[in-house]
Amino acid sequence: MPQGFRGIAAAIQATDRDLEDSAVLLGARRTRAIGYVTIPLLRVAVSSTFLILLMLSMRELTVPLFLYTTDTRILSIAIYDQFENGGALQEASAMALIYCAIMFLLSYLPRRFGAKNGAGGA
């Protein structure tokens, strides 16, 4: 929660209110100014903050251990169960490879789309 708040708060503070005010002075309503000026400026920060929080939550093992039941199968718990209880190293390593691929995609996507948006806006 604090990481997400800091990421979004920094993006909001970096956005100058004069951009919205100038849109209002040119005849747009406040909601339209927010929709066409502020939200597009915050889109990259919100999506990157979401993906960072998703990556941080995926590597965390203690919280899923508290939330684990027989009905819920989380990838990190499944890897741990395969390695500790079953002794099936092949299945555990295959699931760990899938986990690494997911983490790679989650770290690659913001860089790819962030560079695309950053280059187009400059």
Side-chain angles (χ1 to χ4, degrees), residues 77-94:
I77 300 293
I79 293 170
Y80 182 76
D81 280 344
Q82 287 291 332
F83 183 74
E84 285 293 318
N85 298 334
L89 294 177
Q90 291 178 345
E91 288 86 4
S93 62

Side-chain angles (χ1 to χ4, degrees), residues 22-50:
S22 62
V24 170
L25 285 174
L26 290 173
R29 291 194 172 108
R30 181 62 68 175
T31 56
R32 187 174 177 100
I34 290 171
Y36 281 91
V37 175
T38 306
I39 291 176
L41 290 173
L42 295 177
R43 189 176 336 166
V44 173
V46 169
S47 63
S48 64
T49 301
F50 171 74

Side-chain angles (χ1 to χ4, degrees), residues 7-22:
I8 301 298
I12 290 172
Q13 288 176 350
T15 304
D16 195 10
R17 185 180 170 134
D18 289 341
L19 295 171
E20 283 180 35
D21 291 339
S22 62

Side-chain angles (χ1 to χ4, degrees), residues 99-110:
Y99 183 79
C100 289
I102 291 170
M103 291 299 283
F104 174 75
L105 282 174
L106 288 175
S107 64
Y108 175 75
L109 290 176

